[in-house]
């Protein structure tokens, strides 16, 4: 039987691809999604690593998706497909190696009081910062991040803000947006523990506290989490326990509206005629597209392989696209909840373990120089604090992420872990780092090792092996530095009139390497869907 020619082919099945395909399908477009792996989802992947324990291997928390326009549009259909999000009254916190900690709830005013209780004045400073972000600067900040940067909507927004703020006001906003987190924190926050509370959130876009733009990113991410919470997918939701429920529900919506999704389909190239795409070659087969091809890949993949006949300047810029540090995931299955030195932290979905803001900065520098950090910042996720159904009754799961790891190993900051001569990640190095992390966790969760049913670690090389967009284990598919962010993401001299465009009139580029960047919000997929099927 001959397959009908789809109007749109989507390459890759990460959240941006699935949101794009689902929106297009519900608006009447015929879509075909092609995924190189045996499973859909990109960075959304849930597995039963140990009997009865459902672990989110990569991403686990979805505040950006739950607050996104794509989810708002698809929410009724996704709920009918069984998707349900759940969150607790707590959001985030910090723990120091000596066991002292601070837990925050989903409430800005409560956070102000809790912070002021341990660091008088810093709570008020945080409250003032959050108020400015969500009132005075909200329309400009979220308008810039939520729209195509080359759209009339952004031009009108800038004109409106110019009339309200004047040139001086706009340039002041730009200057604040470029400031480093350390400089802002040293000027605004007086307490080391509060600086340590906020600083790790900078890492969640691949930046470090000393880098340009890290103040805006860190403040915005932290304040948004405190205000909006840390939602996870309820176990069994969408036909799959854990975050896989998002993928299952989006797949259902696409198929219910006539779309098709194929796995084990490695797309080798995009077929072009002049400056238009006619389809793709995948798995040795040719798939035609009558209207458009949407590619969720990195710039080097897009212009080095799929569109290898693109203009030379574009290929050169794509080849120079900069990826960031590697990440590492460690999953613990525990037979009982851990005993925190600070008991309230057991209720918190995501806690960061670090000595200080300065230690976060030091770990970033060590990783940037090829060293395994001696005291890495550890993001300690507790999905069972929100959804106990992911583990056997009375049991617990720890979801551990580190974002300060070198892609190529040159040594160990403490001199205790031997690295191979070729600088590659091996099982021995990975497990030695996991041992270091587990020992570090013991300081804040005494007796942790006696509770471990199983542990599974994934190095930066393992992450890239699971998802080719995570080059070098970079979970954000490229550094969000000023030269690779907003108008300039993925790089300058490309977009022409609209974001997500390529030199080919009907080929579109989406994913974390494109505007508005990483975060699992589905933003670029939704923005391209607006262009292909406007309402």
């Amino acid at each position: 039987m001959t397959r009908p020619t789809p109007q749109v082919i989507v390459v890759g099945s990460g959240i941006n691809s699935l949101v794009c395909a689902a929106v297009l399908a519900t608006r009447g477009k015929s879509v075909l999604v092609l995924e190189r792996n045996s499973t859909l989802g990109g960075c959304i992947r849930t597995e039963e690593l140990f009997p009865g324990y459902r672990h989110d291997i990569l991403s686990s928390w979805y505040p950006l998706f739950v607050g996104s326009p794509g989810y708002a549009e698809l929410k009724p259909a996704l709920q009918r497909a069984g998707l349900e999000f759940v969150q607790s009254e707590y959001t985030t916190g910090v723990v120091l190696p000596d066991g002292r900690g601070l837990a925050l709830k989903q409430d800005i005013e409560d956070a102000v009081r809790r912070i002021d209780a341990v660091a008088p004045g810093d709570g008020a400073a945080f409250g003032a910062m959050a108020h400015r972000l969500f009132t005075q600067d909200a329309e400009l900040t979220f308008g810039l991040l939520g729209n195509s940067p080359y759209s009339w909507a952004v031009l009108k927004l800038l004109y409106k803000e110019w009339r309200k703020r004047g040139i001086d006001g706009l340039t002041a906003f730009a200057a604040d947006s470029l400031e480093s987190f350390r400089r802002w924190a040293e000027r605004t926050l007086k307490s080391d523990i509060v600086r340590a509370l906020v600083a790790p959130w900078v890492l969640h876009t691949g930046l470090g506290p000393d880098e340009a733009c890290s103040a805006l990113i860190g403040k915005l991410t932290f304040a948004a989490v405190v205000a909006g919470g840390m939602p996870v997918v309820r176990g069994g939701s969408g036909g799959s326990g854990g975050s896989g429920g998002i993928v299952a529900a989006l797949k259902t919506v696409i198929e219910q509206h006539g779309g098709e999704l194929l796995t084990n389909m490695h797309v080798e190239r995009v077929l072009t005629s002049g400056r238009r795409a006619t389809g793709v070659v995948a798995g040795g087969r040719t798939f035609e597209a009558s209207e458009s091809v949407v590619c969720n890949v990195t710039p080097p993949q897009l212009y080095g392989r799929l569109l290898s006949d693109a203009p030379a300047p574009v290929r050169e810029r794509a080849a120079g696209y900069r990826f960031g540090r590697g990440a590492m995931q460690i999953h613990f299955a525990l037979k009982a909840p851990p005993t925190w030195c600070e008991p309230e932290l057991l209720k918190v979905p995501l806690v960061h373990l670090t000595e200080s803001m300065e230690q976060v900065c030091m770990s970033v520098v060590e990783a940037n120089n090829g060293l395994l950090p001696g005291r890495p910042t550890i993001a300690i996720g507790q999905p069972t604090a929100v959804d106990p159904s992911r583990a056997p009754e009375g049991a617990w799961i720890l979801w551990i992420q580190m974002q300060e790891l070198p892609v190529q190993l040159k040594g160990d900051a403490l001199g205790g872990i031997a690295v191979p001569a070729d600088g590659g990640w091996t099982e021995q190095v990975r497990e030695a780092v996991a041992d270091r992390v587990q020992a570090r966790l013991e300081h804040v969760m005494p007796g942790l090792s006696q509770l471990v049913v199983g542990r599974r670690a994934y190095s930066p090389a393992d992450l890239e092996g699971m998802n080719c967009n995570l080059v070098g284990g970079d979970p954000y598919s490229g550094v969000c530095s000023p030269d690779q962010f907003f108008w300039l993401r993925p790089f300058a001299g490309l977009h022409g009139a609209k974001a997500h465009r390529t030199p080919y009139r009907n080929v579109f580029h989406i994913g974390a390497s494109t505007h508005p960047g990483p975060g699992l919000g589905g933003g670029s997929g939704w923005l391209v869907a607006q262009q292909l099927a406007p309402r």
Side-chain angles (χ1 to χ4, degrees):
M1 181 178 178
T2 303
R3 173 184 283 107
T5 300
Q7 291 169 293
V8 182
I9 290 177
V10 181
V11 178
S13 67
I15 192 167
N16 283 288
S17 296
L18 296 179
V19 166
C20 182
V23 170
L24 291 174
T26 57
R27 294 186 185 183
K29 295 286 186 181
S30 58
V31 297
L32 171 64
V33 178
L34 300 175
E35 168 57 47
R36 71 191 297 268
N37 291 328
S38 59
T39 57
L40 302 170
C43 285
I44 305 176
R45 184 169 178 168
T46 304
E47 294 182 12
E48 188 175 21
L49 296 181
F50 310 97
Y53 294 81
R54 299 286 294 175
H55 295 263
D56 289 335
I57 305 300
L58 298 170
S59 63
S60 191
W61 323 95
Y62 300 96
L64 291 183
F65 180 60
V66 170
S68 73
Y71 179 65
E73 178 173 340
L74 296 169
K75 183 177 180 178
L78 292 173
Q79 289 180 330
R80 288 193 296 271
L83 180 63
E84 181 183 359
F85 287 97
V86 61
Q87 57 187 35
S88 76
E89 63 175 327
Y90 285 84
T91 56
T92 189
V94 66
V95 63
L96 307 183
D98 62 9
R100 289 180 297 143
L102 175 61
L104 299 184
K105 292 185 175 182
Q106 186 189 342
D107 185 323
I108 293 291
E109 292 183 1
D110 183 73
V112 169
R113 290 191 292 269
R114 285 170 176 257
I115 294 171
D116 267 337
V118 298
D122 279 1
F126 163 68
M129 176 267 285
H131 177 77
R132 179 174 178 178
L133 282 173
F134 298 138
T135 55
Q136 180 180 336
D137 290 340
E139 186 174 8
L140 181 54
T141 301
F142 295 109
L144 291 174
L145 292 174
N147 289 289
S148 171
Y150 293 85
S151 66
W152 281 108
V154 166
L155 289 176
K156 288 188 287 187
L157 172 65
L158 290 175
Y159 177 71
K160 178 181 178 181
E161 292 293 322
W162 168 73
R163 294 197 63 179
K164 181 170 68 176
R165 300 167 183 255
I167 289 294
D168 288 345
L170 281 179
T171 54
F173 176 85
D176 290 344
S177 300
L178 292 171
E179 187 176 26
S180 74
F181 178 83
R182 185 204 287 261
R183 193 164 73 175
W184 173 83
E186 289 179 342
R187 184 178 69 248
T188 308
L189 304 174
K190 308 307 178 187
S191 165
D192 286 340
I193 192 171
V194 179
R195 292 173 182 171
L197 169 70
V198 187
W201 284 99
V202 171
L203 302 176
H204 290 272
T205 55
L207 296 177
D210 284 318
E211 297 180 76
C213 296
S214 58
L216 174 64
I217 296 296
K219 292 185 293 182
L220 185 61
T221 307
F222 176 72
V225 163
V226 174
M230 291 289 280
V232 302
V233 180
R234 186 183 294 277
S237 176
S240 172
S243 294
I246 298 175
V247 178
L250 285 167
K251 177 178 181 287
T252 296
V253 171
I254 293 166
E255 291 178 335
Q256 286 176 341
H257 290 82
E260 187 176 8
L261 305 97
L262 300 178
T263 56
N264 297 306
M265 280 292 173
H266 175 64
V267 177
E268 300 153 20
R269 68 182 188 277
V270 175
L271 299 172
T272 59
S273 176
R275 287 299 173 207
R276 288 188 60 83
T278 59
V280 303
V281 175
R285 300 162 58 185
T286 297
F287 296 87
E288 295 181 346
S290 63
E291 291 186 7
S292 303
V293 175
V294 179
C295 298
N296 186 347
V297 296
T298 64
Q301 292 172 36
L302 182 60
Y303 296 110
R305 177 169 54 85
L306 299 184
L307 295 170
S308 58
D309 58 346
V314 173
R315 286 186 280 113
E316 290 169 5
R317 283 191 173 274
Y321 183 76
R322 178 80 172 173
F323 294 95
R325 295 178 299 278
M328 188 167 175
Q329 300 281 157
I330 308 175
H331 301 283
F332 289 90
L334 307 181
K335 61 185 178 183
T339 302
W340 287 83
C341 293
E342 174 54 62
E344 191 178 17
L345 292 176
L346 185 66
K347 303 175 183 179
V348 181
L350 188 67
V351 181
H352 289 106
L353 167 59
T354 185
E355 283 78 359
S356 63
M357 175 186 71
E358 290 78 9
Q359 182 58 58
V360 176
C361 296
M362 177 62 73
S363 296
V364 167
V365 171
E366 288 172 346
N368 286 344
N369 285 290
L371 300 179
L372 295 168
R375 299 175 180 84
T377 306
I378 303 174
I380 308 168
Q382 302 184 105
T384 38
V386 185
D387 178 19
S389 71
R390 296 180 179 218
E393 186 174 356
W396 205 253
I397 287 174
L398 293 181
W399 175 98
I400 303 298
Q401 184 182 57
M402 294 179 294
Q403 301 168 91
E404 306 152 328
L405 292 168
V407 175
Q408 280 292 115
L409 302 171
K410 295 183 179 179
D412 175 26
L414 296 183
I417 300 176
V419 302
D422 65 1
W425 279 86
T426 64
E427 179 181 351
Q428 291 73 24
V429 172
R430 181 190 70 203
E431 295 307 313
V433 172
D435 289 342
R436 175 175 291 176
V437 169
Q438 185 168 333
R440 192 159 161 78
L441 292 172
E442 284 275 359
H443 290 290
V444 299
M445 303 174 186
L448 172 67
S449 296
Q450 283 68 52
L451 300 177
V452 176
V453 173
R455 185 185 83 185
R456 184 74 59 84
Y458 297 87
S459 72
D462 295 328
L463 300 186
E464 183 175 6
M466 286 190 285
N467 185 335
C468 63
N469 284 352
L470 308 185
V471 178
D474 174 7
Y476 307 112
S477 293
V479 175
C480 291
S481 53
D483 60 318
Q484 291 188 173
F485 197 55
F486 193 53
W487 272 290
L488 303 180
R489 195 162 183 88
F491 49 82
L494 172 65
H495 302 100
K498 294 184 177 180
H500 307 107
R501 291 282 192 177
T502 70
Y504 299 83
R505 290 193 292 273
N506 63 336
V507 178
F508 296 82
H509 190 190
I510 64 171
S513 296
T514 70
H515 177 75
L520 293 156
S524 62
W526 187 81
L527 287 170
V528 166
Q530 309 315 300
Q531 296 186 48
L532 300 184
R535 285 184 160 180

